[in-house]
Amino acid sequence: MAPPPEEERGGGGCCARWLRREVLLALALGQLISLLITSTGFSSSELARRGINAPTSQSLLNYILLALVYGGILLYRRQPLTTKWYYYLILGIIDVEANYIVVKSYQYTSLTSVMLLDCWSIPCVIVLTWIFLKTKYGFRKFFGVGVCVAGLILVVFSDVHASDRAKGPKPLKGDLLVIVGSMLYACSNVTEEYLVKKNNRIELMAMLGIFGAVISGIQISILEREELHSIKWNAGAVFPFIGFALAMFLFYSTVPTVLKICGATMLNLSLLTSDMWAVLIRIFAYHEKVDWMYFVAFACTAGGLLVYSYRSSKEADDTAQVTGASDEQSRVGDEESGIQNQVRSSFAGGNDNQASYKELPSNGSPSKN
């Protein structure tokens, strides 16, 4: 059969390539996690307004939920770990400390500095994925990144007001904390992308939840014990804690899917729109007036995401071929493993009683090492 015309195979030409299912799914999931991050920001703001400063304690419940939900699934499936446990320990340390350091930086520098310097995670992710994951970036990808960052800069400059012009008590220390936290975020995202593409998403979330909870508990006992004792635990303090944990749980559950589909760079670019969503919530929920530049910045960032996520027909076909080859290789490997296990079982049965022929049990399954 002759191959379909380019217009049909490509989905109707250049315009249809922008409407590919994987592109739309990546954009939609990216904005979902951006909204979830916005929700965590509002929860943290409410806790800060009440004088509660316990960033590690806020994250603890999220890690516990990850451990219970995904750890329970992992135990039910009785699957052995595909990655050494100490890799998950390292990932847990990086993730917990990245969250802690960035939240801590707000005490020393201005909001504007944090928003600008937090973009440092994007070039870090690009460099790390290029070196370790062999991700290829063309001019269009870099152009999309530049447009997204330009949109965020517009937001920052339009949001600078009297209270934000102060540099903070220790601006240099705060800026360095943001840079270090952004680098840790980049390391965490790239490591998760590698693990989720090579191994099991359930295993990743379960082990990250277990080690994240243990590390957070140790850090809380050292740094935030007195802060927790001083909190008046009423409904106004408990609900933001619970809201933050649920939003973070959904965020962590969605991130591996985004990483598997479009990678760590697209994830970090999507998170840039969280500030714009916060502005829209302020407009419609709190009836606040904002500068017109916000809408220009939102359109700019959205356009950058479209440019970055665009795939040509050749790129989409290559991805499909690689995915199909990987699935076929995995299927063939499973079949060969099953045959080898059956052969070993038959030989073992022959050694026990060579005079008689034993059939393999129909209801048995080869054991996993």
Side-chain angles (χ1 to χ4, degrees), residues 36-231:
L36 291 172
I37 283 295
T38 304
S39 301
T40 63
F42 276 95
S43 299
S44 297
S45 299
E46 180 63 22
L47 291 173
R49 190 180 68 83
R50 295 177 176 274
I52 300 174
N53 182 24
T56 309
S57 301
Q58 291 177 218
S59 302
L60 175 62
L61 183 56
N62 164 55
Y63 290 121
I64 292 176
L65 288 175
L66 289 174
L68 291 177
V69 174
Y70 292 102
I73 297 174
L74 197 64
L75 289 175
Y76 176 78
R77 294 180 177 179
R78 296 182 180 180
Q79 295 177 342
L81 294 180
T82 57
T83 303
K84 300 296 184 181
W85 64 269
Y86 46 81
Y87 289 115
Y88 292 116
L89 173 61
I90 296 173
L91 177 61
I93 294 174
I94 293 174
D95 195 74
V96 171
E97 298 310 320
N99 290 327
Y100 176 80
I101 289 174
V102 172
V103 174
K104 194 72 174 178
S105 66
Y106 283 93
Q107 300 180 12
Y108 302 105
T109 189
S110 64
L111 174 62
T112 304
S113 297
V114 174
M115 292 176 65
L116 282 174
L117 293 173
D118 195 39
C119 296
W120 178 245
S121 62
I122 295 175
C124 291
V125 165
I126 291 176
V127 172
L128 290 174
T129 52
W130 177 65
I131 294 175
F132 296 104
L133 303 184
K134 308 302 180 184
T135 303
K136 296 180 180 180
Y137 295 96
F139 173 78
R140 187 181 66 249
K141 299 285 188 183
F142 285 111
F143 180 75
V145 170
V147 173
C148 287
V149 175
L152 180 66
I153 292 176
L154 285 176
V155 172
V156 172
F157 280 110
S158 63
D159 198 35
V160 173
H161 48 79
S163 61
D164 286 330
R165 287 175 185 155
K167 294 182 178 180
K170 296 180 180 179
L172 179 60
K173 181 178 180 180
D175 293 347
L176 289 175
L177 286 176
V178 179
I179 293 173
V180 173
S182 299
M183 295 174 68
L184 291 177
Y185 275 136
C187 294
S188 176
N189 293 154
V190 174
T191 304
E192 288 185 29
E193 180 181 351
Y194 174 80
L195 292 174
V196 79
K197 287 183 176 180
K198 298 293 183 181
N199 301 317
N200 194 329
R201 181 178 71 94
I202 302 298
E203 176 182 314
L204 171 62
M205 291 292 96
M207 300 305 293
L208 179 59
I210 292 171
F211 286 111
V214 173
I215 296 166
S216 297
I218 295 173
Q219 187 161 305
I220 289 170
S221 65
I222 298 173
L223 300 177
E224 299 179 4
R225 184 172 52 188
E226 296 181 359
E227 179 70 24
L228 291 178
H229 283 303
S230 63
I231 296 176

Side-chain angles (χ1 to χ4, degrees), residues 233-247:
W233 293 103
N234 50 29
V238 172
F239 286 151
F241 260 99
I242 296 176
F244 180 90
L246 292 177

Side-chain angles (χ1 to χ4, degrees), residues 268-287:
N268 283 268
L269 291 176
S270 298
L271 293 179
L272 294 180
T273 60
S274 60
D275 298 304
M276 288 84 166
W277 289 120
V279 170
L280 293 178
I281 293 175
R282 283 161 51 188
I283 294 174
F284 293 104
Y286 300 101
H287 305 289

Side-chain angles (χ1 to χ4, degrees), residues 78 80 337-338 340-342 344-345 361 363-369:
R78 296 182 180 180
S337 177
Q340 291 174 359
N341 286 333
Q342 289 180 353
R344 283 195 292 266
S345 298
N363 59 349
S365 60
S367 60
K368 296 182 179 180
N369 294 326

